[in-house]
Amino acid sequence: GVDGDTWDKKTSQEIYSDVLTLFGELVSQSQGLIDQNSKLTMAISSVVSKNLTKLNEFGQMLRRQIEDTWPNLEIENVPEFGTGSGNLVQLIAQNIEGVPTAELGFAEKIRAHGVLRKSSSYEEKKSARGFGCVLYRPFCVAQMLGV
């Protein structure tokens, strides 16, 4: 991010405002299907996670303030979110009306092939294929880069 707008340089209240902005984006994108009680995940770069320990003017830790505002929110550290373009934070609604936002896709979880007998040993091959993340509802994800 631009010097001065990273979470390292922001106050607790300014970081909280960033989270509010992300939440507002989710509410807008979902046309109100996502609300304060929705099951949410906030995925943040491990590098900036220390900023959640900042205190506001009342001595309350930022992490606690976020958890009080969104009671069903989980905070996850994602090392890969520390990118060359800045640190990334995503706010994700886990599901809407019971339908998941995303899931990991597999052709088959794991397959054991036939056992090969050799003169003094046995050998067995195993294989699996994955599709990666299947994102069903992109509007359930809001992100901010450069925090």
Side-chain angles (χ1 to χ4, degrees):
V2 179
D3 190 34
D5 68 352
T6 63
W7 282 10
D8 283 340
K9 300 196 189 284
K10 285 187 174 185
T11 66
S12 172
Q13 189 55 47
E14 289 170 329
I15 296 170
Y16 184 78
S17 292
D18 282 349
V19 178
L20 276 176
T21 298
L22 288 170
F23 179 71
E25 197 176 315
L26 282 182
V27 171
S28 175
Q29 290 172 179
S30 71
Q31 298 179 343
L33 288 173
I34 297 168
D35 63 26
Q36 213 163 334
N37 294 311
S38 297
K39 233 175 134 91
L40 303 170
T41 299
M42 186 168 80
I44 61 173
S45 162
S46 302
V47 175
V48 297
S49 64
K50 69 183 179 297
N51 292 296
L52 298 181
T53 63
K54 288 185 177 181
L55 302 178
N56 66 13
E57 60 271 16
F58 304 110
Q60 183 183 34
M61 190 185 313
L62 175 59
R63 183 183 194 105
R64 176 71 182 187
Q65 185 181 8
I66 290 169
E67 289 169 346
D68 286 349
T69 305
W70 296 281
N72 296 316
L73 179 135
E74 297 173 9
I75 298 172
E76 298 287 338
N77 290 337
V78 182
E80 295 83 359
F81 279 12
T83 73
S85 301
N87 293 299
L88 178 68
V89 61
Q90 286 186 338
L91 192 59
I92 305 162
Q94 293 180 13
N95 63 64
I96 291 182
E97 298 172 340
V99 178
T101 296
E103 63 186 1
L104 298 178
F106 297 93
E108 46 191 87
K109 297 232 179 185
I110 193 161
R111 179 178 178 193
H113 299 275
V115 175
L116 298 176
R117 265 190 284 194
K118 300 205 171 190
S119 61
S120 62
S121 65
Y122 293 96
E123 193 175 291
E124 184 178 19
K125 179 180 169 185
K126 296 188 183 206
S127 63
R129 286 185 287 169
F131 303 136
C133 178
V134 179
L135 186 58
Y136 300 116
R137 296 180 163 181
F139 69 88
C140 293
V141 179
Q143 67 181 21
M144 196 176 280
L145 182 63
V147 301

